[in-house]
Amino acid sequence: MTILEEMGYDINNFLKDDGRVVLGISYREDEIFKVWDQLTKNKFGYSYSGKKGGTQQYYYANQTEDSIKKRIEKFINHSTSTKGVERVCFFCYTKEMVKKQDIDPWTQAYGNILAGSDKTFGNLYWNNSAKDFICSKCQFIIMCHHIALIELKNFSEKSNQKSNSYLFINAPSFKLMWYLNKYVREIYEKKGKSSPRQIIGMSLIEMALKLNIQLGKWTAMNIEVVSKYTEKKDRKPMDKIDFFSLPYELVFLLSDRKIAALLSEIGEQSILNMVLNSDYTKILKLAEKIFKIALKSKNERSDKENEFINETIKNEKNKENLISFSEKLFKLYALIEEKVKKEVF
């Protein structure tokens, strides 16, 4: 989808409300390869353009410009054969007739951290022979997964250490998946110091404000975050992949337009953290404390109260109008309580 957007396509034309994506592509494989290769170079620092070998250490190992273009051609001009043996794609479960010599199994050609080499690193899962079948439609799609990963520099959610990590939000709907990842990328570029959890929360708020997407219960319960990061073991860097799901209650609260609008208007990271941690009573207590301080003139406030305001509130607009800020917090708490009572979590 990112490749098509780079080529000038309006992605909204492909995304359907029922969660499907229906593509219509008019470009040739060499034009698509050019954009894919540039995005790949941006990610890894090297290019497959003109390569006829020497890519054993590349992410898509042992691939050449020609081999990648052949996969693109299969993706664009998908046609089923009537000869060969029927195989089931282990990626999309589609059945496809394929000749033995045309079988393209799951190996490090699709990512050297996802699979091993069939010839030099026999995998016991394969019974020492790569046999997981990838259909002609999925081959190029899999080779685009690195483009979808969002790089979060200098943070590891798992180890809480400074280390590059990558994030992707998976969801049952392509439309939901596209926009959530789009907003994650945009928000991270603006607020790079935020944790992945905070960025995802802000992305849900952004989605609620900009799009009219109604999340069903099943969809909300199946939003999954995929995290790839590097961790040192015996002083050697090792790639790790983790999965975690966003709590159903949190997804429904942040995707509520009224709650999202109020959180955006408040603009305080600490308040968003309270929602992310389900500390709703803290919002109420904070509103009460700020309201009591706000009833006093600035001259009447103690040093301790002024220090509390400066440490708790970062937005200058909120500091200048504490009454209004506390009212927003009261309203936010009321909206959350109302939403929680209506839903059975």
Side-chain angles (χ1 to χ4, degrees):
M1 300 297 282
T2 303
I3 293 172
L4 296 179
E5 187 178 50
E6 288 286 325
M7 298 180 80
Y9 282 101
D10 183 354
I11 301 302
N12 288 306
N13 293 333
F14 303 140
L15 301 170
K16 306 303 176 184
D17 291 336
D18 61 4
R20 294 178 304 134
V21 58
V22 180
L23 299 178
I25 304 171
S26 58
Y27 286 90
R28 300 197 316 269
E29 61 266 21
D30 56 338
E31 295 171 310
I32 294 175
F33 171 80
K34 187 177 179 181
V35 177
W36 177 91
D37 191 61
Q38 184 58 57
L39 291 170
T40 301
K41 187 177 180 180
N42 294 345
K43 180 77 73 173
F44 297 132
Y46 51 74
S47 168
Y48 285 86
S49 181
K51 291 292 181 182
K52 295 183 178 180
T55 59
Q56 293 90 340
Q57 302 303 316
Y58 283 21
Y59 185 74
Y60 297 108
N62 301 312
Q63 297 308 291
T64 65
E65 178 176 338
D66 286 343
S67 69
I68 297 166
K69 281 184 176 178
K70 283 179 182 177
R71 291 192 173 97
I72 296 172
E73 197 276 332
K74 289 179 185 178
F75 175 71
I76 299 172
N77 304 310
H78 177 67
S79 60
T80 56
S81 174
T82 56
K83 297 180 180 180
V85 179
E86 187 177 76
R87 303 292 297 268
V88 179
C89 176
F90 95 114
F91 190 69
C92 71
Y93 302 109
T94 297
K95 293 179 180 179
E96 185 173 285
M97 296 291 288
V98 60
K99 295 177 183 178
K100 188 175 182 181
Q101 65 268 26
D102 295 332
I103 292 175
D104 195 347
W106 174 253
T107 65
Q108 62 179 352
Y110 293 102
N112 59 11
I113 70 164
L114 300 177
S117 167
D118 184 26
K119 294 179 180 178
T120 61
F121 187 71
N123 192 322
L124 290 177
Y125 164 70
W126 295 330
N127 195 21
N128 293 319
S129 177
K131 55 186 179 182
D132 285 324
F133 172 68
I134 312 287
C135 74
S136 55
K137 286 191 298 183
C138 289
Q139 289 174 15
F140 181 62
I141 292 175
I142 295 173
M143 293 188 75
C144 293
H145 74 264
H146 66 289
I147 298 170
L149 295 174
I150 303 161
E151 186 174 7
L152 307 180
K153 294 181 179 178
N154 301 323
F155 190 86
S156 169
E157 181 81 19
K158 178 81 173 181
S159 61
N160 204 27
Q161 295 175 352
K162 288 187 176 181
S163 171
N164 283 12
S165 60
Y166 297 86
L167 200 69
F168 179 76
I169 300 179
N170 192 25
S173 161
F174 274 102
K175 189 171 186 177
L176 179 61
M177 192 160 41
W178 169 256
Y179 281 109
L180 279 178
N181 283 285
K182 178 183 174 72
Y183 294 141
V184 164
R185 197 182 299 274
E186 290 175 357
I187 289 168
Y188 179 71
E189 287 174 358
K190 295 177 184 176
K191 303 183 179 184
K193 291 184 179 180
S194 301
S195 73
R197 197 157 168 265
Q198 292 168 335
I199 294 169
I200 294 163
M202 287 185 277
S203 301
L204 283 166
I205 291 170
E206 194 79 3
M207 185 189 73
L209 295 176
K210 291 185 176 180
L211 300 174
N212 186 26
I213 295 180
Q214 298 296 322
L215 298 183
K217 187 172 182 179
W218 186 82
T219 301
M221 290 177 70
N222 285 277
I223 295 176
E224 179 184 56
V225 180
V226 183
S227 175
K228 173 184 172 291
Y229 60 96
T230 303
E231 198 173 60
K232 284 189 176 181
K233 187 175 182 181
D234 298 327
R235 297 183 179 180
K236 293 181 180 180
M238 292 186 68
D239 288 317
K240 301 278 187 177
I241 297 177
D242 278 336
F243 305 86
F244 65 92
S245 297
L246 294 174
Y248 166 60
E249 177 182 323
L250 176 61
V251 173
F252 260 92
L253 290 178
L254 295 181
S255 58
D256 180 273
R257 183 161 289 197
K258 289 182 180 179
I259 293 173
L262 199 50
L263 280 167
S264 180
E265 189 179 346
I266 289 168
E268 296 284 348
Q269 191 68 62
S270 60
I271 305 303
L272 175 60
N273 288 340
M274 290 177 191
V275 178
L276 291 173
N277 296 326
S278 301
D279 291 330
Y280 312 134
T281 54
K282 278 189 178 181
I283 298 173
L284 178 62
K285 289 177 181 178
L286 179 63
E288 290 171 344
K289 189 169 184 178
I290 291 173
F291 183 72
K292 288 178 182 178
I293 295 172
L295 292 176
K296 301 178 183 179
S297 67
K298 288 185 178 180
N299 293 331
E300 292 176 321
R301 296 172 196 167
S302 67
D303 291 340
K304 204 169 183 179
E305 287 172 331
N306 285 325
E307 185 181 349
F308 172 78
I309 293 298
N310 288 326
E311 287 182 356
T312 305
I313 306 171
K314 303 302 178 185
N315 191 320
E316 290 299 324
K317 185 180 176 181
N318 293 331
K319 285 182 183 180
E320 292 300 317
N321 198 337
L322 294 179
I323 291 286
S324 174
F325 179 56
S326 63
E327 286 174 347
K328 290 173 186 175
L329 294 180
F330 282 125
K331 186 177 179 181
L332 176 63
Y333 175 77
L335 285 172
I336 290 173
E337 282 296 295
E338 182 185 8
K339 186 80 173 177
V340 170
K341 286 177 181 177
K342 281 184 179 179
E343 298 289 340
V344 180
F345 297 116

